[in-house]
Structures are given as C-alpha cells and as structure tokens.
Amino acid sequence: MKLIGNFTSPFVRKVRIVAAEKRMEYEWELAMPWEPDSQVSQHNPLGKIPVLILDDGTTLFDSRVICEFLDNVSPIAKLLPQGNRERVEVKCWEALCDGIMEAGILARLELNRKRKSERSQAWIDRQMAKVQRGLDAMEADLAKAAGPWSCGNHFTLADVAIAACTGFLDFRYPDLDWRADRPHLAKLAARLAERPSVAETVPHE
C-alpha cells in the first residue's frame, strides 16, 4: 500500500504513528496539496491528505478512516477497544484533537495572508479560542484519568491523536505555551514524545 502525505501535516502524522505502532510497511509518496500541480485531488476529491492507496487500487482518505482501517487490518498493538463505550471514548478524544488541529490550521492560513489588511482578526481569535477550549477540556479529562494513558492503562488511538495534536502546536505555534496551567497534558505529551513511533515522526519542513 502507498501513503500519500507530507512531513508537516498532523493528520498524516497520525497515520504514520499508527502504522509504526502496528509495524506496517508502506510506500511513501510526498505530496503538497496546496501546490498548483498537486495530484492529490486525483485520489481524494477534497484535495486533502493523508490518502492511502491499497494494493488493489482502493483509495481511502481522512485520517480517522485510515487509522481505523489500519487498526482492523492487523491484530498487533490494537488501538481501538472492542467495547462500544470504551471505543466511543477513544473516538471522542480523536475528534477533539482533530478539531484543535483543524482550528489551528485555519488560524494559521488566515495569519499567512500576504496582505495584513485582508486578514480577519475575529476569525483568527475564533479559531484560537477553539484551540484553548479544546486544550482545557483535555486537561480536565486527564486530571480524572485512572491510568498512565488518556483512556486508562492501555495506549490507544486517543494517545496517537494527542501526540499529533500537541506536536502540531509545538511545530506551528512555538510561542503558544500551551503547557502552562495544564500539567496533566504536559506530562502525557512528554511521555508520548519518548515513544519511538512518536519520536520518529516529529514534523519538519
């Protein structure tokens, strides 16, 4: 199978972490979806990464779809629990992290407009407020966690999403200081950073 993506996308990183945890090999194709000559839209009509092309030519897109597919393909290092309630808890964590990353990306796109007069500070503030609320929710939930990981005693897709999310903020918003007043989230992020699958996928240009 072939994974299409780049080294800066936190959504691609989620998939790469999952593949590493499950010891899956894949062909890598570097893609920049924002470039005029990008071929990503040929595989995903939305023009987004990641995209996973299976050996039979089937195309999967959206990191949540791809991560769940990979987890079901192999029994090694299961990342999604079997129980419905436990599974939903993990998926809610993933949705929260994805939402934070999406808001951060939208704010950054607005900040990167060439003409300052074209930027909407209200839009930027709205997106960054989502980021802050999301981080506060993560901290509150982790303060009540019963084990070393976000959903208890087992490393799950929720932790993969948290690693991608916090890594994205460190990469794109180095001055945000999201660790301040969030000791539980900071502690988990530090533990995750030591995991080989996370350390080997640190974002870079």
Side-chain angles (χ1 to χ4, degrees):
M1 58 186 176
K2 178 192 292 185
L3 178 61
I4 300 174
N6 60 41
F7 298 113
T8 62
S9 166
F11 299 103
V12 174
R13 189 185 186 196
K14 273 174 54 186
V15 174
R16 293 175 65 211
I17 293 173
V18 168
E21 288 287 337
K22 300 186 75 65
R23 303 171 195 170
M24 290 180 153
E25 295 184 357
Y26 55 88
E27 182 183 348
W28 171 254
E29 182 176 315
L30 184 64
M32 301 297 179
W34 297 104
E35 293 183 354
D37 60 348
S38 172
Q39 303 298 307
V40 173
S41 60
Q42 294 184 8
H43 305 291
N44 177 359
L46 301 177
K48 295 181 177 182
I49 51 176
V51 175
L52 185 69
I53 302 177
L54 306 184
D55 293 338
D56 64 0
T58 301
T59 301
L60 305 179
F61 49 84
D62 188 278
S63 63
R64 279 179 264 192
V65 172
I66 297 173
C67 287
E68 186 162 353
F69 170 80
L70 293 178
D71 194 49
N72 288 329
V73 165
S74 169
I76 297 174
K78 289 294 290 182
L79 299 171
L80 284 167
Q82 292 299 313
N84 183 55
R85 191 160 186 170
E86 293 80 5
R87 188 183 187 90
V88 167
E89 180 184 6
V90 169
K91 296 298 287 184
C92 280
W93 268 102
E94 185 183 17
L96 178 59
C97 292
D98 281 4
I100 291 172
M101 295 187 295
E102 288 166 358
I105 290 171
L106 289 173
R108 187 169 180 273
L109 288 173
E110 192 70 15
L111 282 165
N112 286 345
R113 287 184 183 272
K114 291 183 178 180
R115 295 181 181 178
K116 193 172 182 179
S117 60
E118 295 179 350
R119 298 175 194 166
S120 170
Q121 189 59 47
W123 175 259
I124 294 169
D125 292 344
R126 180 181 176 85
Q127 301 310 318
M128 295 310 295
K130 294 179 186 178
V131 171
Q132 295 292 350
R133 289 197 303 270
L135 291 170
D136 288 342
M138 292 166 72
E139 174 65 19
D141 283 349
L142 289 173
K144 298 179 289 185
W149 304 108
S150 58
C151 293
N153 293 319
H154 301 287
F155 179 87
T156 68
L157 185 57
D159 301 297
V160 172
I162 293 169
C165 179
T166 54
F168 163 74
L169 294 176
D170 284 340
F171 180 55
R172 293 303 193 191
Y173 293 93
D175 298 326
L176 185 60
D177 193 21
W178 58 265
R179 291 172 178 81
D181 300 320
R182 299 186 184 103
H184 297 90
L185 181 56
K187 183 178 180 180
L188 177 57
R191 183 184 298 119
L192 289 167
E194 297 175 351
R195 204 168 178 94
S197 63
V198 177
E200 294 166 3
T201 57
V202 173
H204 61 85
E205 296 287 358

